[in-house]
Amino acid sequence: MSKKPTCEEFKRKIEELEKETISLMKTEDALKESERKFRLLAEQSPNMIFINYKGKVVYANKCAEEVLGYTREEFYAADFDFLSLIAPEYRELVKANFNKHLKGEEVEPYEYALLTKDGRRIEAITTTRLLNYDGEKAILGTVTDITKHKFVEEALHREQERFRILVEASPLAISMIGQDGHYEYVNPKFVEMFGYRLEDIPTGREWFAQAYPDGEYRQQVMTAWIKDLKDLKSCEGRSRTFTVTCKDGLKKIILFRPMTLATGQQFVTYEDITSQKRAEDALRESEKKYRDLVENMNDVIYQTDEKAVVTYVSPNIELIGGYHQSEVIGRKFTDFVYKQDLPDRMKRFQDIVSGGNVPTEYRYVKKSGQIIWIRTTARPIFKENRVIGVQGILTDITDRKLAEEALRKADARLRRHRDRLEETVKKRTLELEEKNKELKSQSQKLEEMNSALRILLEQRETDKEDFARTLIQNLRTLVLPYLEQLRGKQPSPEHDASLEIAMSNLQDILFSFSSTLATRYSSLTPREIQVASLIRDGKSSKEIAQLFNLSVRSVEYYRENVRKKMGLANKKINLRSYLFSLK
């Protein structure tokens, strides 16, 4: 049977669990703080930062939105393909490097091209590494826009190609002479100027003997030549003028300019004095173009030494900062940095000296005291594998910063207006709902009243019909029989007349049907209407004749007229049944 733990052992176990819990909480807090710092740095980074998980963008920073033109919602959409950002010719390279990461292999920074939302092409360099994303592998990529650098590199390549073309097509004769005095290269102009091809040129001493036949003058030239070959430093930047006899015997005055290369070779140019002015003018024009390019750029070009002292700044610093060149050169660049940004700038400078070239932004104090925003891209300057300074470009981005701030404020105002509008709409909606309820209630009441009125009207019509039937029935049973009995029994003509009048009036009351006939058949005479009413009531022609004191033939005549005017002539339709069908 196992031994039960003592109280002390329980306490120790509890204390150990508490320590482990505290340790885990600290680790979790540290991870949260690390993630917060990463997001803060990523959002402030001047470079584009992506996290790619299974070919989908799960994180893109603000710079990525600004440079590529997509919103984060578009980046994070399920149907967004990360490869659509990559120029087609680099997509296989990107997929191959992703696969290397997933296999655990290191991938060196590499260059490729991105496509913005509006189709612009951006040259970039990316540094990628593998990271853990919710327990699975994802790729963290930091992308630097090097479009300007590419432009500079291409410009440099063009300059090198231009230099080669310039050497080949130069109006100056050019040669490359080895340390042993043999010619290793001559350009076409050299052949044109002196008549010697490379394979025809002897050593320097022999050529001097041929080119300078005058003994005393030849000796002077050779002495100077040999002295320059021995004392290479004295040769740098010096020029000599010689009269040379070419292969065809013509003499030319040549400006001889030697330059010693690091390899010990002599790079020599030969210029015919007659073309000197033209070459100088061309050179001055070329220098002016490059100078104008530098001085008229919107950006400022600068250089510092390794101690951050400015050694050169282009003249347009006066346009940006208000300082003349002479007020900047010789001073530390930190003298012009806004105080609060100074610690970060010093750190960035050390990063650049260490080999970094990440574009950064900071505040710059103009000569007037105004504070502006500057974006700088810099790189270290090397000499003999040692950093001797920093070279970079300054760009005034104050307008962009002000626009961003204005946009932020406008966005805040828009949110406030939207909130107020939503509140107004909500309030108005409630009012309309209340009004709608009230209208529905009134509508229901009106419906109920209409129903009640319909019932009352229907009841009134029913009561009216019942009253009429009762009245007619009473007249027929209680009055008419007695009046008929009196007819013809009164000896006095006046009584007969009164009786007829009473009978006629009662007939009008009893036979209200006559009004319907008069309305529908306007061609019927009053007597025809009375006859039709009595026929409807079931009276025979004889009874009608007695009632109106007419002959039976007269009543038959009226019956025929009624049938004709009602369209029943020559039709086998019972007149009384037809009259009953009329309402």
Side-chain angles (χ1 to χ4, degrees):
M1 189 173 187
S2 60
K3 183 180 179 182
K4 293 183 180 180
T6 64
C7 292
E8 292 297 326
E9 289 175 339
F10 269 121
K11 287 181 179 179
R12 283 198 302 272
K13 288 286 185 181
I14 292 171
E15 289 174 355
E16 289 174 0
L17 288 173
E18 288 177 345
K19 289 179 180 179
E20 290 178 1
T21 302
I22 292 171
S23 175
L24 288 173
M25 291 175 66
K26 288 181 178 179
T27 301
E28 184 178 352
D29 291 341
L31 287 173
K32 289 181 179 179
E33 180 63 18
S34 176
E35 181 180 357
R36 186 189 70 80
K37 290 180 178 179
F38 166 79
R39 288 189 175 274
L40 180 62
L41 291 173
E43 291 302 307
Q44 295 177 347
S45 174
N47 295 322
M48 294 172 275
I49 297 178
F50 295 94
I51 295 180
N52 189 316
Y53 173 64
K54 293 185 178 180
K56 299 297 180 183
V57 177
V58 295
Y59 174 76
N61 68 344
K62 182 180 180 182
C63 182
E65 289 183 301
E66 295 174 349
V67 175
L68 297 178
Y70 291 93
T71 64
R72 297 192 205 201
E73 288 77 12
E74 290 174 311
F75 278 130
Y76 301 159
D79 58 348
F80 186 86
D81 185 4
F82 180 80
L83 287 177
S84 65
L85 299 174
I86 312 300
E89 66 270 25
Y90 290 102
R91 289 175 184 172
E92 291 301 321
L93 171 64
V94 171
K95 288 195 288 187
N97 286 332
F98 276 21
N99 290 331
K100 283 184 180 180
H101 273 305
L102 296 178
K103 293 176 182 178
E105 299 176 18
E106 291 293 329
V107 176
E108 294 295 326
Y110 61 97
E111 295 183 8
Y112 63 164
L114 296 172
L115 299 177
T116 65
K117 187 176 182 180
D118 58 7
R120 289 183 298 106
R121 184 184 178 96
I122 293 177
E123 300 296 328
I125 184 169
T126 181
T127 301
T128 57
R129 68 181 182 86
L130 195 65
L131 58 78
N132 185 302
Y133 183 80
D134 288 341
E136 296 193 55
K137 294 179 180 179
I139 306 299
L140 171 65
T142 302
V143 183
T144 303
D145 183 353
I146 60 170
T147 305
K148 289 186 177 179
H149 295 285
K150 278 289 184 182
F151 175 80
V152 173
E153 287 178 1
E154 290 173 2
L156 180 59
H157 176 72
R158 289 194 297 270
E159 285 301 312
Q160 291 173 342
E161 182 63 17
R162 186 182 300 173
F163 178 75
R164 185 190 65 79
I165 295 172
L166 182 64
V167 169
E168 293 293 323
S170 173
L172 299 176
I174 299 173
S175 68
M176 186 77 73
I177 306 172
Q179 295 185 43
D180 58 358
H182 284 85
Y183 284 79
E184 298 177 352
Y185 169 81
V186 294
N187 72 340
K189 187 65 178 179
F190 184 95
V191 177
E192 178 188 335
M193 184 178 292
F194 298 113
Y196 290 100
R197 296 182 180 278
L198 182 62
E199 59 271 18
D200 300 333
I201 302 174
T203 62
R205 187 180 296 275
E206 293 172 352
W207 186 60
F208 278 120
Q210 297 176 20
Y212 307 104
D214 181 74
E216 183 179 354
Y217 183 71
R218 180 177 64 200
Q219 186 61 42
Q220 292 176 2
V221 173
M222 289 182 65
T223 301
W225 174 265
I226 293 169
K227 183 177 185 300
D228 285 340
L229 285 177
K230 289 181 178 179
D231 188 3
L232 298 178
K233 290 185 179 179
S234 67
C235 186
E236 288 294 332
R238 297 173 59 186
S239 62
R240 296 181 184 277
T241 303
F242 300 122
T243 301
V244 178
T245 301
C246 300
K247 189 175 182 179
D248 58 6
L250 294 177
K251 291 184 179 181
K252 294 181 179 180
I253 300 174
I254 302 299
L255 187 64
F256 170 88
R257 294 189 184 91
M259 182 176 65
T260 305
L261 303 180
T263 59
Q265 298 167 301
Q266 285 276 334
F267 181 84
V268 186
T269 62
Y270 312 84
E271 183 181 4
D272 190 337
I273 291 300
T274 57
S275 62
Q276 178 179 2
K277 181 63 177 174
R278 184 176 62 232
E280 290 176 352
D281 290 344
L283 180 61
R284 282 195 295 270
E285 181 63 24
S286 178
E287 290 176 348
K288 182 178 181 301
K289 286 182 180 179
Y290 286 110
R291 184 171 61 252
D292 290 345
L293 176 64
V294 172
E295 293 181 358
N296 293 317
M297 286 176 61
N298 291 328
D299 297 337
V300 175
I301 298 175
Y302 69 93
Q303 288 183 353
T304 72
D305 61 16
E306 69 276 16
K307 295 181 180 179
V309 175
V310 179
T311 56
Y312 171 78
V313 65
S314 55
N316 48 358
I317 186 64
E318 192 165 358
L319 296 176
I320 291 180
Y323 296 98
H324 190 269
Q325 281 178 291
S326 59
E327 296 177 282
V328 178
I329 296 175
R331 295 174 60 182
K332 285 192 172 184
F333 84 90
T334 53
D335 294 345
F336 309 98
V337 178
Y338 186 58
K339 184 177 179 181
Q340 293 182 4
D341 295 345
L342 189 56
D344 182 67
R345 289 311 310 151
M346 290 303 299
K347 181 180 181 300
R348 296 287 185 181
F349 181 80
Q350 293 303 321
D351 290 342
I352 295 169
V353 170
S354 300
N357 63 348
V358 178
T360 55
E361 297 174 1
Y362 65 95
R363 285 169 288 186
Y364 181 94
V365 182
K366 297 179 64 172
K367 188 175 181 179
S368 63
Q370 180 187 356
I371 298 172
I372 62 175
W373 278 93
I374 293 293
R375 178 182 173 89
T376 180
T377 303
R379 64 177 182 82
I381 303 173
F382 292 93
K383 185 176 182 180
E384 298 178 355
N385 296 324
R386 183 176 66 87
V387 176
I388 62 170
V390 169
Q391 182 181 57
I393 298 175
L394 297 178
T395 305
D396 185 351
I397 59 169
T398 306
D399 290 342
R400 194 197 80 190
K401 284 290 187 179
L402 292 175
E404 289 175 355
E405 179 63 19
L407 182 61
R408 186 188 63 77
K409 291 181 179 179
D411 185 59
R413 288 196 299 271
L414 182 61
R415 284 198 298 270
R416 290 196 297 271
H417 289 318
R418 183 192 63 197
D419 293 342
R420 286 199 294 269
L421 180 60
E422 288 179 352
E423 185 63 30
T424 302
V425 170
K426 188 183 295 182
K427 182 178 178 181
R428 183 59 179 162
T429 301
L430 291 175
E431 291 176 354
L432 291 174
E433 288 176 353
E434 290 297 324
K435 192 68 176 176
N436 191 33
K437 289 180 181 179
E438 182 180 345
L439 290 174
K440 284 183 178 180
S441 176
Q442 293 179 357
S443 176
Q444 186 175 357
K445 290 179 180 179
L446 288 174
E447 286 292 334
E448 293 174 355
M449 292 176 64
N450 287 336
S451 299
L453 286 173
R454 281 195 298 271
I455 293 171
L456 289 174
L457 288 173
E458 291 173 358
Q459 184 63 40
R460 183 175 179 276
E461 289 296 324
T462 302
D463 293 345
K464 182 179 177 182
E465 291 176 0
D466 291 343
F467 175 76
R469 283 195 297 272
T470 303
L471 176 61
I472 292 171
Q473 183 65 29
N474 289 336
L475 288 173
R476 285 177 176 173
T477 56
L478 301 177
V479 177
L480 283 178
Y482 296 103
L483 290 177
E484 289 179 356
Q485 291 178 6
L486 293 175
R487 182 185 293 171
K489 294 182 180 182
Q490 298 291 337
S492 171
E494 290 82 3
H495 286 90
D496 287 340
S498 298
L499 182 62
E500 285 297 327
I501 292 171
M503 289 290 289
S504 176
N505 290 335
L506 285 173
Q507 291 295 336
D508 288 339
I509 293 172
L510 290 172
F511 305 114
S512 59
F513 175 68
S514 61
S515 62
T516 300
L517 291 177
T519 301
R520 184 168 297 185
Y521 301 99
S522 59
S523 60
L524 294 176
T525 63
R527 180 62 71 184
E528 289 170 349
I529 292 173
Q530 289 177 340
V531 170
S533 298
L534 291 171
I535 291 172
R536 180 177 179 275
D537 199 42
K539 298 295 185 182
S540 65
S541 297
K542 183 177 179 180
E543 290 174 333
I544 296 172
Q546 291 176 354
L547 183 62
F548 292 130
N549 198 21
L550 296 173
S551 65
V552 173
R553 183 161 181 78
S554 296
V555 174
E556 292 295 332
Y557 173 76
Y558 287 131
R559 289 175 70 101
E560 290 299 321
N561 284 343
V562 169
R563 291 184 67 87
K564 289 179 182 179
K565 291 180 180 180
M566 290 185 175
L568 302 177
N570 301 321
K571 291 183 179 180
K572 294 182 180 181
I573 297 176
N574 184 272
L575 180 59
R576 185 184 178 210
S577 298
Y578 180 79
L579 292 174
F580 261 114
S581 66
L582 299 179
K583 295 182 180 180

